[in-house]
């Protein structure tokens, strides 16, 4: 099966991929990390690595975005067995939600218990600065409002229940540990706690859309993460999420600012080391 828009993955396919990987890695990971745009450098800190380009993994889709490498990196970080996804899948690439979330179900079948997600996001909260790191305390699933929820369709009870709770999507205990890790790593001055809103992209938001999202209570906006979190919670993984605020969204019709991908990548380059230090320190505490 190719990773086209029509296909929906089933349990057996996820299991086949998981078994394929399990037969090729020395130890099972317990933590999975999905690296956002320009944040894949975290995988370079992994020791005793086993690396699998997506194109070599059965059923795995390929990522097509600049700043995303496209490989799974297994190994050890701060004494924990982890798997890092260097490059994720997005709706705007033409993938459906089953494809976008397929790696998460596969992580579950590998034995992963904790999912850490990182992303680049635009700052909606006027108090936020470019370069801030926001711990995600909640999300708004905007594609879900329009019927694009990754759990739509028949429910496979081997993954989880039909109607999963989302009011506890982001794990409070892990967030507390992350706060500690951030403070110990000197990152407290640019740390925030806020609500992430996902839109499908690839367009950046209009001024009216940004104003609407602010009224809805979102602090940051991006084009990823929420489908993976929904599927992770469905199958019982504990989730922790971080958004790097790469730009401030435009909310003023007189502004000359224009959102662009180059600015996003530039900010990730500036903060990538802080973020990596914070996350690896957190992994050591899990
Ligand atoms: N909007 C949506 N996604 C983003 C942005 C933004 O301003 N910045 C980084 N990802």
């Amino acid at each position: 099966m190719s990773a086209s828009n029509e296909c929906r993955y089933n349990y057996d396919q996820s299991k086949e991929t998981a078994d394929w990987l399990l037969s090729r890695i020395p130890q099972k990971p317990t933590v999975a990390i999905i690296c956002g745009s320009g944040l894949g450098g975290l995988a370079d800190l992994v020791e005793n690595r086993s690396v699998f380009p997506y194109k070599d993994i059965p059923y795995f889709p390929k990522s097509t975005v600049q700043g995303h490498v496209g490989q799974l990196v297994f190994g050890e970080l701060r004494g924990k067995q982890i798997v890092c996804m260097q490059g994720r899948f997005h709706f705007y690439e033409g993938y459906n939600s089953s494809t976008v979330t397929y790696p998460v179900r596969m992580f579950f079948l590998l034995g992963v218990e904790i999912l850490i997600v990182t992303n680049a996001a635009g700052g909606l909260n006027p108090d936020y600065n470019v370069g801030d790191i926001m711990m995600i305390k909640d999300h708004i699933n905007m594609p879900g409002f329009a019927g694009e929820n990754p759990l739509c369709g028949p429910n496979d009870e081997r993954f989880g229940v039909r109607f999963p709770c989302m009011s506890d999507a982001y794990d409070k205990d892990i967030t507390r540990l992350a706060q500690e890790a951030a403070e110990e790593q000197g990152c407290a001055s640019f740390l925030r706690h806020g609500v992430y809103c996902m839109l499908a992209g690839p367009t950046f938001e209009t001024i009216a859309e940004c104003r609407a999202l602010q009224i809805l209570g979102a602090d940051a906006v991006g084009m990823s993460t929420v489908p993976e979190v929904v599927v992770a919670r469905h199958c019982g993984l504990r989730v922790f999420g971080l958004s790097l605020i790469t730009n401030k969204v435009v909310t003023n019709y007189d502004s000359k600012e224009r959102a662009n991908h180059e600015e996003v990548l530039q900010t990730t380059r500036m903060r990538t080391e802080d973020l990596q230090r914070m996350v690896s320190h957190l992994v050591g505490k899990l």
Side-chain angles (χ1 to χ4, degrees):
M1 182 177 70
S2 71
S4 75
N5 211 23
E6 304 86 54
C7 64
R8 294 197 73 83
Y9 288 98
N10 59 35
Y11 184 93
D12 292 339
Q13 287 159 331
S14 305
K15 184 85 173 63
E16 201 178 314
T17 307
D19 289 345
W20 187 89
L21 287 163
L22 283 172
S23 69
R24 287 166 175 77
I25 53 174
Q27 287 195 67
K28 285 183 179 197
T30 53
V31 179
I33 305 176
I34 302 181
C35 304
S37 293
L39 300 169
L42 195 62
D44 299 335
L45 306 179
V46 176
E47 292 173 334
N48 303 320
R49 298 149 56 97
S50 307
V51 180
F52 302 92
Y54 295 162
K55 66 177 174 41
D56 297 341
I57 306 172
Y59 301 123
F60 227 82
K62 290 168 200 65
S63 78
T64 63
V65 194
Q66 188 195 348
H68 287 258
V69 179
Q71 59 187 20
L72 286 185
V73 179
F74 291 81
E76 203 176 309
L77 184 66
R78 298 260 173 166
K80 300 279 174 345
Q81 289 301 318
I82 72 157
V83 53
C84 241
M85 224 180 131
Q86 262 185 321
R88 60 147 62 83
F89 307 107
H90 307 83
F91 286 166
Y92 63 73
E93 293 174 89
Y95 296 119
N96 64 19
S97 58
S98 173
T99 305
V100 167
T101 58
Y102 159 76
V104 176
R105 289 192 158 165
M106 199 271 299
F107 290 152
F108 165 66
L109 294 173
L110 287 177
V112 163
E113 292 163 9
I114 293 175
L115 177 69
I116 299 176
V117 284
T118 68
N119 61 48
L124 290 163
N125 186 322
D127 294 337
Y128 284 10
N129 299 308
V130 169
D132 282 353
I133 294 176
M134 183 186 88
M135 297 195 188
I136 305 176
K137 71 172 178 205
D138 202 352
H139 71 224
I140 299 175
N141 180 3
M142 198 57 88
F145 284 19
E148 186 59 69
N149 186 307
L151 301 181
C152 284
N155 186 56
D156 191 324
E157 295 279 333
R158 287 171 290 184
F159 287 120
V161 297
R162 172 75 285 189
F163 299 109
C165 175
M166 284 293 141
S167 59
D168 58 353
Y170 297 88
D171 194 283
K172 287 204 174 71
D173 293 330
I174 301 179
T175 302
R176 248 190 307 274
L177 289 177
Q179 176 77 36
E180 262 176 44
E183 285 165 10
E184 286 161 15
Q185 293 301 304
C187 299
S189 63
F190 50 86
L191 201 65
R192 311 283 187 164
H193 293 263
V195 175
Y196 176 84
C197 179
M198 182 209 178
L199 303 188
T203 47
F204 288 108
E205 299 68 37
T206 65
I207 290 171
E209 285 165 350
C210 290
R211 291 179 172 190
L213 297 180
Q214 287 174 326
I215 292 167
L216 286 180
D219 296 297
V221 57
M223 306 175 190
S224 67
T225 301
V226 168
E228 293 105 307
V229 170
V230 166
V231 164
R233 292 302 297 145
H234 180 237
C235 60
L237 303 190
R238 295 169 67 198
V239 171
F240 173 71
L242 283 178
S243 293
L244 172 59
I245 306 301
T246 53
N247 56 290
K248 282 174 84 88
V249 302
V250 179
T251 54
N252 179 342
Y253 284 101
D254 295 327
S255 171
K256 297 269 186 298
E257 298 287 324
R258 299 281 181 273
N260 63 86
H261 192 53
E262 190 39 50
E263 186 187 8
V264 171
L265 293 180
Q266 212 173 325
T267 313
T268 57
R269 280 194 287 272
M270 166 186 117
R271 263 294 177 253
T272 199
E273 257 182 50
D274 291 310
L275 206 116
Q276 285 171 25
R277 268 203 340 270
M278 233 181 92
V279 174
S280 60
H281 207 66
L282 166 64
V283 168
K285 287 171 176 284
L286 291 172

